[in-house]
Amino acid sequence: MKNFFWDSCVIAAFLNEEWEGADIASLNQFVQDAKNGDCNIYVSSITIAEILPSYLKEKRFNSYQRFLKDMGGAVVQISPSPNILAFAARLRDV
């Protein structure tokens, strides 16, 4: 099974159905595949703070929480530990 990690930019593009350079059709297919159990989509719990309600254009979902509920477990939230955050900082610095 394939595993994907979406950051807040990808989630925002999906929720608003737009983002310069984003392939929204592919994002829709990933979500459908995840709902069918063919792949896993992981998101950081940090995205709760990053996806501002005022940013959403209410095309599909009027809140990030509604998006998660609609996904029915197809999108898995993970909470980064201090070790993961430290590793992420080192990766970003490369």
Side-chain angles (χ1 to χ4, degrees):
M1 181 176 299
K2 293 184 179 182
N3 296 298
F4 300 98
F5 185 85
W6 284 14
D7 71 1
S8 56
C9 293
V10 176
I11 294 167
F14 175 77
L15 293 176
N16 286 321
E17 298 180 310
E18 66 182 10
W19 187 37
E20 187 175 328
D23 182 354
I24 301 303
S26 291
L27 297 181
N28 286 322
Q29 186 61 54
F30 284 128
V31 167
Q32 191 58 50
D33 290 348
K35 284 184 171 183
N36 293 338
D38 297 327
C39 71
N40 296 310
I41 298 174
Y42 294 95
V43 299
S44 172
S45 59
I46 293 172
T47 58
I48 294 169
E50 293 178 329
I51 304 293
L52 304 175
S54 63
Y55 181 73
L56 299 177
K57 297 180 180 177
E58 300 186 32
K59 290 186 177 183
R60 284 190 190 179
F61 306 97
N62 59 3
S63 74
Y64 180 67
Q65 289 74 18
R66 185 167 177 195
F67 159 71
L68 291 174
K69 184 177 180 180
D70 183 70
M71 293 300 110
V75 173
V76 180
Q77 285 192 95
I78 57 171
S79 295
S81 68
N83 289 339
I84 291 173
L85 293 171
F87 184 68
R90 286 193 303 271
L91 285 175
R92 290 183 65 210
D93 204 31
V94 171

